[in-house]
Amino acid sequence: MRKDITFNDVLEIVDSLPEGQRETLIEIVKHRLIEERRDKLAQHIKEAKEAYAKGEVRKGSIDDLMREISK
């Protein structure tokens, strides 16, 4: 069973690490965030391609869009 850990608990744990480990932790977290964003972007692209293939996407200019949502 996992104990609930607060954000402050995490900060205290990180502060207790040696400087080199904190730097390594920062790099790992940065890389994980980048990878997570990349995965989300890939999913959005996949969904957009599927919508386009199904004909659910319309083309037009910004003016066309503004006219459409003004109706």
Side-chain angles (χ1 to χ4, degrees):
M1 187 180 287
R2 191 178 124 199
K3 176 188 171 221
D4 289 332
I5 300 174
T6 67
F7 188 75
N8 283 335
D9 293 336
V10 172
L11 289 177
E12 287 179 20
I13 293 168
V14 170
D15 285 342
S16 72
L17 295 172
E19 183 179 346
Q21 288 181 354
R22 288 194 313 255
E23 290 173 354
T24 301
L25 177 63
I26 289 168
E27 290 303 313
I28 290 169
V29 171
K30 282 182 181 179
H31 287 286
R32 287 183 179 186
L33 286 170
I34 290 167
E35 193 62 34
E36 184 178 317
R37 289 179 188 135
R38 187 178 293 132
D39 290 345
K40 285 180 183 178
L41 179 58
Q43 183 61 35
H44 288 289
I45 291 169
K46 179 182 174 204
E47 291 169 3
K49 286 181 176 180
E50 289 170 355
Y52 183 79
K54 292 177 184 176
E56 297 172 351
V57 177
R58 293 183 295 196
K59 296 179 184 177
S61 67
I62 299 288
D63 291 333
D64 296 334
L65 173 63
M66 295 308 292
R67 277 193 295 277
E68 181 75 24
I69 61 176
S70 303
K71 292 181 182 178

